[in-house]
Amino acid sequence: MKKFLTICLLALAGAAHAQGVMQFTTDGHDFGNVPEGTMATHEFKFKNTGNQPVIISNVQASCGCTTPDWTKTPVLPGKMGVIKAMYSSAGRPGVFNKTVTVTSNATEASKVLSIKGTVLTKDQIKPTLTPAQLAASPHLILDQSAHDFGKMEAGQQPTARFTVKNTGKTELVLGALSSGCYCVGYKNNPAPIAPGQSAMVELLYSQRQLGQVSDVVTITSNDVSGDAKITLKANIVRDLSGNSMVKESGTAVPFK
């Protein structure tokens, strides 16, 4: 009877310690200097040194500027898994220090990983690059420098379509848009453009100011030679209906 109880207790003790263990090669990464407009990406690799599969239930970044990804399938004992952290540097010059928190069924149920670095503007980083690095950069070319919507009604969101070509030697990644009116955005997030390839990019224009308007839009990217600019123009009226009235010099007259 004692032998039976001993065996049962040992079995229970073994079951209690049956758990996966995430052993990371490192829990922090320093990118150093990062060119503004690039997506700084690092993969944290771990090995399951436990005796049960590790299942990652969630990975939460400390800010919206960091996008996590991870091994979605169970990581068996003795096998490797990956936590990927991607930091968007577009429009974020200066020092950054971010974390991603990994939640799993491993012995350490909540594991914090960190990334840091310094985002340099293109003017800051260009002098530090070798001729070979400059030559290897992607290069953004727009098929037009301006788009005129003509007459449009206030409240509309017309789309400007233009072509971006990558004449460089590495993949071109388009980043954030900036404009003085804060009224321009991507219709769809653009995908990376391979060297020598072109892609159609669509911008939504949400300007509400009446009259003749002109807004310069800066398109950031990982092209180290500089950012691209496109000017959006429009004549915005309250109503395109022929029966609409507007006051000119105190007299109501229809739109022309």
Side-chain angles (χ1 to χ4, degrees), residues 139-182:
H139 189 50
L140 188 159
I141 298 292
L142 296 176
D143 67 333
Q144 57 183 313
S145 60
H147 181 88
D148 193 339
F149 292 102
K151 184 176 285 188
M152 58 176 277
E153 189 173 300
Q156 289 183 325
Q157 285 188 314
T159 300
R161 295 177 179 85
F162 56 96
T163 301
V164 173
K165 185 173 183 178
N166 178 11
T167 61
K169 296 183 178 179
T170 52
E171 189 176 74
L172 174 66
V173 180
L174 300 185
L177 301 172
S178 63
S179 64
C181 65
Y182 301 100

Side-chain angles (χ1 to χ4, degrees), residues 24 26-28 44 98-102 108 110-114:
F24 284 88
T26 179
D27 58 7
F44 292 95
K98 306 298 179 183
T99 62
V100 291
T101 302
V102 183
E108 192 174 2
S110 181
K111 175 69 175 179
V112 177
L113 307 172
S114 64

Side-chain angles (χ1 to χ4, degrees), residues 53-58 72-75 103-106:
V54 167
I55 300 173
I56 300 171
S57 58
N58 190 36
K72 302 296 195 303
T73 55
V75 180
T103 304
S104 72
N105 65 337

